[in-house]
Amino acid sequence: MFLHTHPYKPFIYKEATKLIVGTLPPPRFTTKHLREKDVDFCYGSSDGQLWPILNRIFKLDLKFENTERAINQRKDFLKSRKIGICDIVASAERAKIDASDIGMQNIKLRNIIKYVEKYKNVDTLIFTGGNSKNGPEYFFRKHIKEHNLKLSVISNNVPRIHSFELKDRIIKTVSLTAPSGAANRAVGSLKSYKLLKNKNPKFNTIDFRVMQYANFF
């Protein structure tokens, strides 16, 4: 079994109002066998789509390379938008060394509620995936039960929006379509995507995510 531990501490600071919540980066980030175009930071996989999407939305001119400059670009952007990152999985075991969420076993979660309690400006959690097994929302639903909390539905349309009450605060959660190639089939099956694709045959799954993510970042 490969012990897949999260290589990064949560990127949180007192001004943050939003937290991006995912699972784990690919195993090569744990073993530090990075590719030339990987960025040694959260969501830095050269296969991932989160930073390319944000790059398009905000016209950031990000570098996609294994350099300190690329890391600092991302940190500077997050701070400018008061966004933090706190993935929910601390570690998992894998029989097969790959990046699939479904392949995770013996999973240990981070205490997201503890972080939200500590950083009192946080009012939104942005899940990079939904409630399918081993997705961020799926784990968060298990996590909040341990704290005797529950999600209330705001919108059941994609992306699903919920809220929960934490002491005297209302925290919103948004479950975005995952920024990964594996989720492209799910995007292609959405009625909203098909309508846009019919209007513009050049419209693709990245374009769809850019439209979706822009509303929440």
Side-chain angles (χ1 to χ4, degrees):
M1 282 285 190
F2 172 71
L3 179 59
H4 189 180
T5 57
H6 203 297
Y8 307 116
K9 295 178 180 179
F11 182 77
I12 311 182
Y13 45 96
K14 66 179 182 178
E15 295 85 5
T17 60
K18 299 182 177 73
L19 290 182
I20 301 171
V21 181
T23 54
L24 283 169
R28 68 179 182 275
F29 283 78
T30 298
T31 60
K32 296 301 180 186
H33 292 98
L34 301 187
R35 299 171 182 168
E36 183 180 352
K37 292 188 177 181
D38 286 336
V39 179
D40 194 6
F41 185 64
C42 307
Y43 301 92
S45 170
S46 54
D47 300 318
Q49 297 171 354
L50 178 62
W51 285 112
I53 290 167
L54 295 176
N55 195 43
R56 276 183 57 180
I57 292 171
F58 294 99
K59 299 179 174 58
L60 299 175
D61 194 26
L62 293 177
K63 301 300 180 185
F64 292 86
E65 59 193 23
N66 190 359
T67 64
E68 197 69 27
R69 176 173 64 167
I71 295 170
N72 289 334
Q73 280 185 321
R74 286 153 177 78
K75 289 182 177 180
D76 290 345
F77 164 74
L78 292 169
K79 288 181 178 178
S80 74
R81 304 292 301 186
K82 298 182 180 179
I83 300 169
I85 299 176
C86 187
D87 288 341
I88 195 167
V89 177
S91 68
E93 293 181 347
R94 294 184 181 276
K96 180 181 178 183
I97 303 178
D98 62 18
S100 69
D101 282 343
I102 201 68
M104 294 188 291
Q105 304 175 46
N106 299 322
I107 298 150
K108 294 183 179 179
L109 302 180
R110 283 175 170 162
N111 191 338
I112 299 288
I113 295 300
K114 180 180 177 181
Y115 286 109
V116 175
E117 286 179 336
K118 180 177 179 180
Y119 294 92
K120 299 186 183 303
N121 288 316
V122 172
D123 58 25
T124 306
L125 305 181
I126 301 176
F127 298 135
T128 58
N131 195 31
S132 56
K133 186 176 180 182
N134 289 3
E137 181 190 330
Y138 172 87
F139 284 133
F140 187 73
R141 285 178 175 275
K142 295 179 69 173
H143 175 54
I144 62 173
K145 284 182 180 178
E146 298 172 1
H147 293 266
N148 296 314
L149 302 171
K150 65 177 182 178
L151 292 178
S152 300
V153 176
I154 295 176
S155 172
N156 249 333
N157 296 323
V158 176
R160 288 188 302 277
I161 302 172
H162 296 82
S163 68
F164 65 96
E165 188 172 349
L166 185 62
K167 297 182 179 178
D168 58 345
R169 297 158 63 195
I170 301 296
I171 312 297
K172 182 171 72 174
T173 72
V174 180
S175 298
L176 297 177
T177 302
S180 65
N184 286 342
R185 183 178 296 180
V187 175
S189 68
L190 294 172
K191 183 179 179 180
S192 55
Y193 174 78
K194 291 177 180 177
L195 289 171
L196 291 165
K197 184 74 170 176
N198 286 336
K199 290 180 180 178
N200 177 11
K202 293 184 179 180
F203 188 80
N204 60 37
T205 56
I206 297 291
D207 297 328
F208 181 82
R209 289 179 176 87
V210 167
M211 289 180 61
Q212 184 187 101
Y213 284 35
N215 293 321
F216 301 101
F217 282 95

